[in-house]
Amino acid sequence: DAKTTQPPSMDCAEGRAANLPCNHSTISGNEYVYWYRQIHSQGPQYIIHGLKNNETNEMASLIITEDRKSSTLILPHATLRDTAVYYCIVRPWISGNTPLVFGKGTRLSVIA
Amino acid sequence: EAGVAQSPRYKIIEKRQSVAFWCNPISGHATLYWYQQILGQGPKLLIQFQNNGVVDDSQLPKDRFSAERLKGVDSTLKIQPAKLEDSAVYLCASSLVTGNEQFFGPGTRLTVL
């Protein structure tokens, strides 16, 4: 079972920042937080991951709380193409090759 | 670089029939995964290969599902016989052995009537 809790849906105005929360209160010390998204009729796409420090890449920023029990994915300037289901996943780093355990995710709707 | 290829994209069969899906991972990716995604849910792992060996098939319904990855490259997933509850999208993903990122194909949407 998924070890994360996410709101089922969110709306965001185009051009605004989208802040997607995730609760992972039972996360272990060797587990990373990963975010994937799935646009309609496509396979999931990797966005970002982190352990305890905040991370940023060309797609998004990941803010992890100091106690690591929750995190927020930030899309700084949401566009209509960001409409998708966003999955927050806790994944242990053993060999780097463990499968992903998906929950139901958050359906983000970006509105013009 | 070319992504993960899957075929067919869509398949409609009647219950008790057989069906097979094909996946070609990204070149050089030793690890290959098959996931099942039922409508409204997140993907669920069915089987994981590393090269041509099975790493994890604990969630594969082995009485009707089988998968192989001969020569450690392409993979096929078969269902025989299909049930109504097998209607889902079947996703193939691949990754480097030490990679953080899994790359997913577009999936095969199976409808069992």
Side-chain angles (χ1 to χ4, degrees), chain B residues 14-111:
Chain B
E14 295 193 350
K15 60 183 179 183
R16 292 188 288 274
Q17 286 187 324
S18 303
V19 64
F21 313 127
W22 173 82
C23 173
N24 186 17
I26 292 173
S27 177
H29 282 193
T31 306
L32 185 147
Y33 310 81
W34 283 101
Y35 290 84
Q36 179 193 57
Q37 186 172 24
I38 293 172
L39 187 64
Q41 299 181 19
K44 183 187 82 171
L45 179 75
L46 291 175
I47 189 167
Q48 176 184 349
F49 291 94
Q50 185 155 315
N51 296 308
N52 59 352
V54 175
V55 175
D56 182 355
D57 64 356
S58 58
Q59 298 189 79
L60 187 73
K62 298 180 187 64
D63 58 335
R64 297 183 301 106
F65 286 65
S66 64
E68 61 182 10
R69 191 182 183 199
L70 300 175
K71 301 180 183 178
V73 182
D74 294 8
S75 177
T76 56
L77 177 69
K78 298 179 182 178
I79 307 175
Q80 180 179 7
K83 293 185 175 181
L84 296 177
E85 58 261 38
D86 298 332
S87 293
V89 175
Y90 291 85
L91 293 159
C92 179
S94 70
S95 69
L96 295 169
V97 172
T98 56
N100 286 308
E101 184 176 351
Q102 289 184 23
F103 295 83
F104 284 80
T108 296
R109 180 176 296 278
L110 174 67
T111 301

